[in-house]
Amino acid sequence: MPGLLNLGVAFGFLLVRSACLEVKVIGAFANSVNLPVLRWGTALTLSCCEDTYDLSKAQLQAYQLFLELLHEKKGGIRVGGNLYRLQITFIDDAGDEENVRDITRHLVEDQGIELLLGPYSSRLTEAAAEIANRTGAVLVAAGASRDEIFSENPRVFGILPSREHLLSSAFKALANASNFEIPPTSRDARAPINVAYFTENRRVTSSCHFTPTLAARNNMNYVRPDSDNRRRWRHFELSSDANTTAIHSMFDWMAKLQVDFVVGCTFNDMCEKVMKELRNNTFTPKALLLANCVTTPQFIESLKADARYVMSSSPWMENVPFSGDFSGLTAAEFSSLYKKRYSASSVPYQAASAWAASVALLAAIEQANSTDPAHVAAQLHDLELHSLFGPIQFDENGQNTAEYVLVQVPATTGTAATLVAPYSDNKIIYPFIPWQDRECYYGEGDTEGLFGLNLSTGECKRCFPGKVSRRSASLEHST
């Protein structure tokens, strides 16, 4: 059947609360045989320049690749002995929760589309989940990890693992010194003992609130800002408009509390402000993890060499060692295909999770041999699937049980964060190299410089007049 179905795009508009929202239907429209149509749908931000637009666009692009490969490889979806051509209806939500509710209600009640994908972000997915569950539809979400969305809506499933697991790989890896590549500095290289975290208060950042639990589980000591008995804060918190004085004060307190491992849940702009202030502060933690920004191109482009050695957690990376049952594509092959098709320099995990959501819904329909949402939901609960996103298996709340991965920005200037755990032999560069010592580490390969390590003390010093240092790619130095 491959080759008989031609993909196309149809456009229209939906009037919602006096707003005219774009409707985009992608799928198989023309074919040489008269195949019935199976329809999926979702709200998705299609209009620039809402804050959910860029990553919604990545999801849309992945859905389109899925549709193309589905019809190329299989000719459609086979249910009950019949082959169906698939169409997916996307309606612009303009980044608004009420729009999402209206759109989801329209898809289910007016269009009869009961098999749903989800919009991007936990905020918008929660609105879709509420309607989907109430109307008896089934929804597989690609871009949400807030636990309540799934625990309160039994017909809603999430490809992203629970936020509770976001930091678990990082704590496990840092608790074991055998995972370290230790630079030849004079710093204490023992595994971190004292852990603190900070959040940016402009958004829900519940992932970092698991820090005390994870610290205890991995034999670390969680340090509260009120440890000096003069403050009553559970953790450090920065307002979204925090200035350098506020950030400097936070790092001063962390220095006084002898914090080794700093965890931050914040977003791009605040990440950059925090890094620039840490650059100017005398406090240097042994390990620094920023949960939401390190894997973005903006982080590397803005901070350049100062981005080195920062860690993060991510649901997926382009070089994870996974391949899919449906497509046979590895994560790297999918990334290459996506980049070529959309002229992209990188692939956000949201694209891979959108692909995985499509594959999971497809597998559940075909294994249930039904399009009845109750039967599909039951099959999703029992699903065990290999995908290029990783293993897909849903827990009792309907959330994927896969692990997040730990990544770190390497020593090479301008290089994106690379995988270090758990699916890699790469070591964690630890402890975090202080800025005053980094003159000894700049450059790639064997390079000469005016700073070098005093091998007897481990200090980074300016060379004597007329002398230069030679840096080797293995982080060993001589002067």
Side-chain angles (χ1 to χ4, degrees):
M1 197 65 65
L4 296 179
L5 302 175
N6 300 314
L7 292 181
V9 181
F11 295 94
F13 294 93
L14 173 68
L15 188 65
V16 173
R17 292 179 291 116
S18 300
C20 199
L21 303 178
E22 179 186 354
V23 179
K24 180 179 291 188
V25 183
I26 302 177
F29 291 93
N31 58 290
S32 61
V33 293
N34 187 24
L35 293 179
V37 175
L38 179 61
R39 296 189 297 163
W40 300 354
T42 185
L44 199 64
T45 307
L46 305 177
S47 54
C48 179
C49 297
E50 304 296 335
D51 62 358
T52 50
Y53 171 71
D54 287 340
L55 294 174
S56 294
K57 181 180 176 182
Q59 289 190 186
L60 178 65
Q61 291 169 334
Y63 291 137
Q64 185 165 351
L65 283 178
F66 165 79
L67 274 164
E68 291 175 358
L69 196 61
L70 169 68
H71 290 100
E72 177 185 326
K73 288 176 68 73
K74 301 182 63 173
I77 300 178
R78 190 167 294 280
V79 183
N82 297 317
L83 189 65
Y84 291 80
R85 53 192 173 114
L86 178 62
Q87 293 178 1
I88 306 180
T89 298
F90 303 96
I91 303 180
D92 182 17
D93 58 38
D96 180 80
E97 293 100 317
E98 283 306 312
N99 283 348
V100 171
R101 291 187 180 93
D102 289 338
I103 290 166
T104 307
R105 192 178 295 110
H106 168 75
L107 289 169
V108 179
E109 296 179 350
D110 299 337
Q111 296 293 314
I113 299 175
E114 298 179 304
L115 304 171
L116 303 174
L117 301 167
Y120 170 66
S121 81
S122 290
R123 173 176 63 88
L124 298 181
T125 301
E126 187 168 27
E130 171 193 329
I131 303 301
N133 199 65
R134 192 166 70 216
T135 56
V138 63
L139 187 153
V140 181
S145 59
R146 191 179 300 161
D147 296 356
E148 296 79 9
I149 294 172
F150 308 98
S151 62
E152 296 173 4
N153 298 291
R155 287 197 180 184
V156 178
F157 299 82
I159 294 298
L160 299 182
S162 165
R163 287 184 176 183
E164 180 179 358
H165 304 309
L166 176 68
L167 302 173
S168 58
S169 293
F171 275 83
K172 280 188 222 173
L174 286 168
N176 186 349
S178 68
N179 294 321
F180 301 159
E181 177 183 351
I182 301 172
T185 67
S186 57
R187 298 195 76 199
D188 180 0
R190 288 177 296 178
I193 301 298
N194 295 329
V195 185
Y197 78 97
F198 69 91
T199 65
E200 180 182 353
N201 66 2
R202 72 186 178 96
R203 300 190 186 184
V204 175
T205 50
S206 59
S207 303
C208 277
H209 297 330
F210 292 100
T211 296
T213 301
L214 290 168
R217 192 178 296 164
N218 290 277
N219 298 315
M220 299 180 194
N221 177 41
Y222 174 63
V223 179
R224 296 168 57 113
D226 59 5
S227 297
D228 62 353
N229 296 318
R230 288 184 292 172
R231 298 189 173 203
R232 294 182 174 86
W233 298 342
R234 182 169 179 261
H235 66 281
F236 294 92
E237 185 172 292
L238 296 172
S239 64
S240 57
D241 59 352
N243 57 25
T244 55
T245 301
I247 300 170
H248 188 95
S249 175
M250 178 183 75
F251 286 137
D252 280 349
W253 276 110
M254 288 185 178
K256 290 176 183 178
L257 297 171
Q258 299 181 321
V259 173
D260 300 311
F261 178 20
V262 176
V263 178
C265 276
T266 181
F267 294 87
N268 287 334
D269 292 345
M270 183 59 70
C271 275
E272 293 176 27
K273 289 166 70 173
V274 164
M275 289 300 298
K276 288 173 181 176
E277 186 54 37
L278 188 60
R279 175 77 167 84
N280 298 322
N281 197 287
T282 56
F283 169 65
T284 305
K286 288 184 178 181
L288 174 63
L289 186 149
L290 300 177
N292 299 307
C293 56
V294 175
T295 57
T296 65
Q298 179 182 338
F299 185 80
I300 304 297
E301 291 165 5
S302 174
L303 293 170
K304 298 181 174 59
D306 285 350
R308 294 173 174 186
Y309 318 122
V310 182
M311 293 181 292
S312 188
S313 293
S314 177
W316 181 84
M317 293 291 287
E318 294 178 30
N319 59 339
V320 290
F322 300 133
S323 60
D325 293 335
F326 159 67
S327 65
L329 293 173
T330 65
E333 289 168 340
F334 169 78
S335 300
S336 177
L337 179 65
Y338 182 96
K339 290 175 184 177
K340 182 177 180 180
R341 173 66 186 274
Y342 299 112
S343 301
S345 59
S346 61
V347 184
Y349 74 76
Q350 290 84 356
S353 65
W355 175 279
S358 305
V359 169
L361 185 54
L362 168 67
I365 291 168
E366 293 193 328
Q367 290 176 23
N369 200 27
S370 172
T371 59
D372 184 312
H375 295 163
V376 174
Q379 194 60 51
L380 283 165
H381 275 295
D382 295 333
L383 191 68
E384 292 185 27
L385 190 66
H386 294 97
S387 79
L388 56 84
F389 186 78
I392 299 175
Q393 185 173 9
F394 300 109
D395 62 18
E396 63 277 7
N397 287 338
Q399 290 173 278
N400 195 2
T401 58
E403 283 191 278
Y404 284 82
V405 298
L406 178 63
V407 300
Q408 184 178 41
V409 181
T412 306
T413 303
T415 302
T418 57
L419 184 67
V420 290
Y423 306 108
S424 172
D425 294 329
N426 292 334
K427 299 288 189 179
I428 302 168
I429 299 174
Y430 177 93
F432 196 75
I433 302 173
W435 272 273
Q436 66 267 24
D437 291 347
R438 291 191 183 192
E439 293 289 355
C440 294
Y441 298 91
Y442 286 173
E444 290 91 40
D446 294 329
T447 57
E448 292 183 348
L450 296 178
F451 288 78
L453 287 178
N454 181 323
L455 296 181
S456 63
T457 66
E459 294 178 286
C460 183
K461 294 288 188 181
R462 190 178 183 91
C463 297
F464 294 114
K467 298 285 187 180
V468 295
S469 68
R470 178 168 294 280
R471 175 196 184 281
S472 74
S474 65
L475 292 181
E476 295 175 353
H477 298 69
S478 60
T479 57

